Amino acid sequence: MMTYPKPIDDQSYLINSSNHKSLQQTAKTDPNNFWLDIAKRLEWMNFPTIAGNWQFQKPVSIKWFEDGLLNVCTNCVDRHANVTPDKTAIIWVDDQGKTPTHISYAQLFKEVNAMAFSLKELGVKKGDRVIIYMPMIPEIAYAMLACARIGAIHSVVFGGFSSESLSGRIQDCGAKVVITANEGLRGGKTVPLKANVDTALLQAPQVEKVFVINRTSAHVPMVAGRDIVYVPNYAQVVTPEPMNAEDPLFILYTSGSTGKPKGVLHTSGGYLTYASLTHQWIFDVQENDIYWCTADAGWITGHSYVVYGPLANGATTVMFEGIPNYPNPDRLWQIIDDLKVSIFYTAPTAIRSLMQAGDEWLETSSRKSLRLLGSVGEPINQEAWEWYFHKVGNENCRIVDTWWQTETGGIMMTPLAGVHNLKPGSATQPFFGIQPALLDDLGKEIDSNPAEGNLSVKSSWPGQMRTVYGDHSRFEDTYFSQFPGYYFSGDGARRDADGDYWITGRVDDVLNVSGHRLGTAEIETAATMDHSIIETAVVGFPHPIKGEGIMIFAIPGAHVTHSDDELKAIIKQTIRTQIGPIASPDAIHIVKGLPKTRSGKIMRRILRCIAKSEFEKIGDVSTLADPTVVEHIIEVFSAKK
Ligand code: WTA
């Protein structure tokens, strides 16, 4: 295995050989004082005296800085608007390639106050839930921060989710206000956001008001008394709501192995402390950096590393509305040159798709402003890592491969650019204060190296999620039941002889498609919403660009007369309607039966072998209710390839 040695004693990094060891030591031996000291990076109305107060045994309870009082918006906006009003907070790059918009901290203050004022006028109060369903325009950040300012809990729903998904989330969190745009614009195509909201609200009539931001000139139908075109009123300054550190900041829905998506709840003080710290230390963000994370604000990466982390640090954060290959696969590289981006954070799926487009697309840019690269969302394969390092970064940039989850709020494992050796494909070491453990299937910790097991965490950290919104027992069951006393991530990992970690992927029924998490059960339920399909089984299979592709085996009803091609079109459309285009299957096989045990459980393991064409690994099928079904599925699968 190739390793890339650490930069020798480069003290220009914020975390370097001089301070790394002592920080690590304090975080380990005196976590309380370590985190209280770290909390000083925020501005508090009441500085906390307690750091962590938690237990992973049932009843699970997690609190950080519980006697602290602060406002997240003040921390991200006001304090920088006071000290560095002219510094650029956000550089917004639109889909169409117009001149980028620079928004200073002083302007951000004005915009966020205007939005907060309008929300207050609507009667939104502390603790109320607000759904944000918007494109990547600056207003999405204003909306999030405005909610934080008045103490409302936002829940951002990614614009690629359908009206069905949107309405499920609105109902689950009981939102009365939705903020949206008339349309979104991505890769030259419009996204009918407001129309989706209208459809969603047919099933969620409790929503009283819809704010509509006009992104395009399109006129969309407006419901009198409910829908309001947002017009900023700059005359007012809204006093920030004093929030307890443990008051909720946001809910973000994410898929699990069972049931409907869970509302992951993050609170104010711990989350912001952790997002801000990890952002600054891991990306080595210094005074004049131009930092760009390509994630959409609809995902946790967009929350922590486009909006909250960078703005809490008074940094300059780039916000991109478009997609990597529109109008051409050199779009990202052009933007890097144009804005002189120094720190760039993206997902392996984007790297792979641009790598596939060809090296010639790198020739129109120099990317010489770059000094640090990051990767997130899925394991990065060595080939993509090498291309990122040698070609994109011209061998001038260290790469941080960051492992974390919606649930963890911020990065949990990563090399530190000024300290660690880099190993292509390895997230290497836990961040300060994080105590990972590899557990065998019986829950026993494996201490030796090398080792492989279920990736868990032994002690809490400030960015940890606090509960599943409205369902604390689901929180306990999902993360703390399988291995009592530990937080279980759902990922598998390997620890090599040096003690460096390699994430091997999900060990539960969750797929990671282009870095997006999707539960197999969720897709199966969605596919059977059309009456022509009676049962389905979904598995992942290796996909050269997406990392993992979605394969569906579907059984049509006995009296269905559609052709296989018609059925496939129906399944695709049904899933797009139920979940959204991101869950659109990559392969569909219409079959007569599924491999089930005599008790009726689908043996996905067998389907996974078939999906990978690893027929020899299927093994003994004699215990199946109908062993002949396996041969039939292989036949269908092989014929359709
Ligand atoms: C996967 C995204 C390997 C993992 C921040 C995790 C990764 C899931 C990495 C969380 C990485 C994330 N290497 N796998 N560097 N980062 N993952 O909640 O399976 O959208 O459980 O959060 O992505 O996805 P989520």
Side-chain angles (χ1 to χ4, degrees):
M1 168 52 53
M2 189 122 174
T3 58
Y4 291 75
K6 60 188 171 206
I8 298 162
D9 247 4
D10 188 340
Q11 303 298 312
S12 68
Y13 289 102
L14 295 174
I15 303 301
N16 53 53
S17 62
S18 308
N19 57 9
H20 176 250
K21 282 237 154 54
S22 65
L23 285 168
Q24 207 175 28
Q25 191 62 19
T26 327
K28 201 167 170 181
T29 54
D30 191 2
N32 209 47
N33 278 323
F34 175 82
W35 287 114
L36 283 176
D37 201 38
I38 295 296
K40 290 183 192 147
R41 58 192 295 112
L42 301 186
E43 188 178 291
W44 298 80
M45 297 167 182
N46 246 349
F47 191 78
T49 61
I50 310 165
N53 177 9
W54 52 271
Q55 63 170 30
F56 284 1
Q57 300 284 353
K58 288 186 192 177
V60 176
S61 155
I62 298 160
K63 289 180 185 155
W64 281 88
F65 312 123
E66 60 187 290
D67 59 347
L69 215 58
L70 82 171
N71 182 279
V72 166
C73 179
T74 310
N75 274 282
C76 294
V77 183
D78 303 37
R79 60 173 174 155
H80 312 303
N82 288 334
V83 180
T84 52
D86 300 327
K87 181 167 178 177
T88 300
I90 298 173
I91 307 177
W92 180 61
V93 181
D94 88 323
D95 186 61
Q96 299 298 301
K98 296 206 179 102
T99 310
T101 311
H102 289 246
I103 298 145
S104 68
Y105 274 96
Q107 273 169 294
L108 182 65
F109 179 82
K110 260 177 58 181
E111 297 288 359
V112 170
N113 269 286
M115 184 84 81
F117 179 71
S118 299
L119 288 172
K120 267 198 126 160
E121 288 266 277
L122 292 186
V124 178
K125 293 185 298 297
K126 179 175 175 180
D128 288 349
R129 278 80 60 213
V130 173
I131 289 277
I132 300 176
Y133 183 62
M134 283 171 68
M136 274 296 271
I137 54 179
E139 285 83 354
I140 195 170
Y142 306 160
M144 292 163 77
L145 293 162
C147 286
R149 192 169 192 85
I150 63 174
I153 307 167
H154 63 68
S155 184
V156 183
V157 178
F158 175 58
F161 279 116
S162 68
S163 54
E164 278 291 326
S165 293
L166 176 63
S167 113
R169 286 153 169 78
I170 295 171
Q171 291 173 70
D172 187 82
C173 74
K176 294 211 174 71
V177 171
V178 176
I179 310 178
T180 190
N182 59 343
E183 292 183 321
L185 208 53
R186 276 188 103 216
K189 295 192 188 115
T190 53
V191 186
L193 295 173
K194 173 63 166 62
N196 287 350
V197 170
D198 290 342
T199 311
L201 296 195
L202 296 175
Q203 291 167 60
Q206 87 274 10
V207 171
E208 290 161 8
K209 297 288 173 197
V210 178
F211 260 151
V212 183
I213 287 140
N214 280 325
R215 167 63 186 101
T216 67
S217 55
H219 285 286
V220 292
M222 299 287 276
V223 174
R226 188 194 72 184
D227 302 348
I228 306 155
V229 173
Y230 174 69
V231 181
N233 172 347
Y234 296 117
Q236 310 282 336
V237 170
V238 176
T239 311
E241 190 73 30
M243 303 289 283
N244 182 276
E246 280 303 327
D247 281 336
L249 177 61
F250 65 84
I251 301 166
L252 187 57
Y253 286 86
T254 191
S255 295
S257 48
T258 55
K260 58 184 172 71
K262 298 180 285 281
V264 169
L265 185 96
H266 283 288
T267 56
S268 304
Y271 169 79
L272 195 67
T273 303
Y274 198 69
S276 130
L277 178 75
T278 48
H279 174 256
Q280 184 158 41
W281 286 8
I282 293 166
F283 299 107
D284 191 54
V285 181
Q286 306 196 27
E287 192 49 39
N288 296 318
D289 278 308
I290 306 286
Y291 162 89
W292 181 16
C293 165
T294 64
D296 191 282
W299 308 109
I300 191 68
T301 310
H303 282 59
S304 300
Y305 299 117
V306 176
V307 178
Y308 287 117
L311 296 179
N313 291 333
T316 299
T317 178
V318 177
M319 221 172 139
F320 179 41
E321 185 185 34
I323 55 172
N325 51 14
Y326 174 83
N328 288 307
D330 59 356
R331 184 76 200 272
L332 302 185
W333 319 137
Q334 298 278 353
I335 296 171
I336 288 172
D337 274 15
D338 189 24
L339 302 179
K340 301 201 167 37
V341 171
S342 51
I343 303 166
F344 180 69
Y345 190 32
T346 195
T349 185
I351 300 168
R352 284 192 298 263
S353 83
L354 296 176
M355 180 169 79
Q356 198 199 38
D359 289 2
E360 65 269 27
W361 293 105
L362 288 169
E363 285 162 16
T364 52
S365 60
S366 77
R367 302 166 312 286
K368 64 173 192 280
S369 53
L370 289 174
R371 66 181 186 87
L372 199 142
L373 299 171
S375 170
V376 62
E378 48 176 319
I380 180 163
N381 50 308
Q382 175 153 2
E383 198 190 353
W385 194 102
E386 299 280 356
W387 189 76
Y388 203 27
F389 181 81
H390 294 289
K391 298 287 171 69
V392 176
N394 289 317
E395 302 180 4
N396 291 324
C397 306
R398 318 263 321 148
I399 298 183
V400 292
D401 176 0
T402 62
W403 173 78
W404 60 294
Q405 311 179 293
T406 306
E407 293 87 340
T408 70
I411 296 165
M412 300 291 279
M413 280 201 217
T414 179
L416 291 170
V419 176
H420 295 115
N421 289 331
L422 303 179
K423 295 181 183 178
S426 168
T428 69
Q429 290 289 313
F431 188 67
F432 299 104
I434 304 301
Q435 294 193 53
L438 294 181
L439 307 179
D440 68 17
D441 288 344
L442 299 172
K444 197 171 161 321
E445 214 173 307
I446 316 168
D447 293 324
S448 55
N449 292 339
E452 184 156 0
N454 299 294
L455 180 56
S456 306
V457 188
K458 283 197 257 194
S459 62
S460 185
W461 63 99
Q464 186 170 23
M465 74 182 281
R466 302 301 196 255
T467 191
V468 169
Y469 185 75
D471 197 348
H472 195 64
S473 58
R474 190 167 175 204
F475 176 57
E476 294 176 324
D477 292 346
T478 309
Y479 304 104
F480 302 93
S481 292
Q482 200 167 339
F483 306 116
Y486 294 85
Y487 163 79
F488 175 43
S489 67
D491 279 317
R494 193 158 61 74
R495 202 167 47 215
D496 67 19
D498 303 330
D500 285 324
Y501 286 83
W502 302 72
I503 311 300
T504 50
R506 303 289 305 193
V507 294
D508 54 8
D509 286 324
V510 171
L511 306 183
N512 191 330
V513 181
S514 299
H516 300 154
R517 267 165 74 167
L518 294 162
T520 51
E522 201 182 333
I523 307 173
E524 286 162 4
T525 310
T528 47
M529 292 306 275
D530 188 276
H531 297 307
S532 54
I533 305 299
I534 54 166
E535 193 171 16
T536 62
V538 169
V539 293
F541 68 100
H543 188 286
I545 305 287
K546 298 179 172 186
E548 201 162 28
I550 302 173
M551 187 176 290
I552 304 193
F553 297 89
I555 309 175
H559 305 293
V560 169
T561 52
H562 297 297
S563 70
D564 282 7
D565 283 343
E566 284 167 347
L567 285 170
K568 288 179 190 179
I570 290 172
I571 291 172
K572 265 201 176 147
Q573 191 47 49
T574 311
I575 292 173
R576 289 175 78 93
T577 310
Q578 292 296 323
I579 304 177
I582 54 167
S584 197
D586 300 284
I588 305 175
H589 301 292
I590 307 297
V591 293
K592 292 198 187 77
L594 293 167
K596 287 187 182 173
T597 59
R598 292 202 184 99
S599 60
K601 188 174 172 312
I602 297 175
M603 298 288 289
R604 278 169 220 283
R605 190 190 61 75
I606 294 177
L607 294 174
R608 277 194 285 263
C609 291
I610 296 174
K612 289 187 204 156
S613 299
E614 293 175 346
F615 307 135
E616 70 288 353
K617 290 195 182 156
I618 292 174
D620 182 20
V621 296
S622 61
T623 56
L624 293 181
D626 174 12
T628 64
V629 84
V630 175
E631 218 162 287
H632 158 71
I633 295 173
I634 292 177
E635 230 165 73
V636 172
F637 173 85
S638 305
K640 298 286 154 58
K641 273 214 309 182

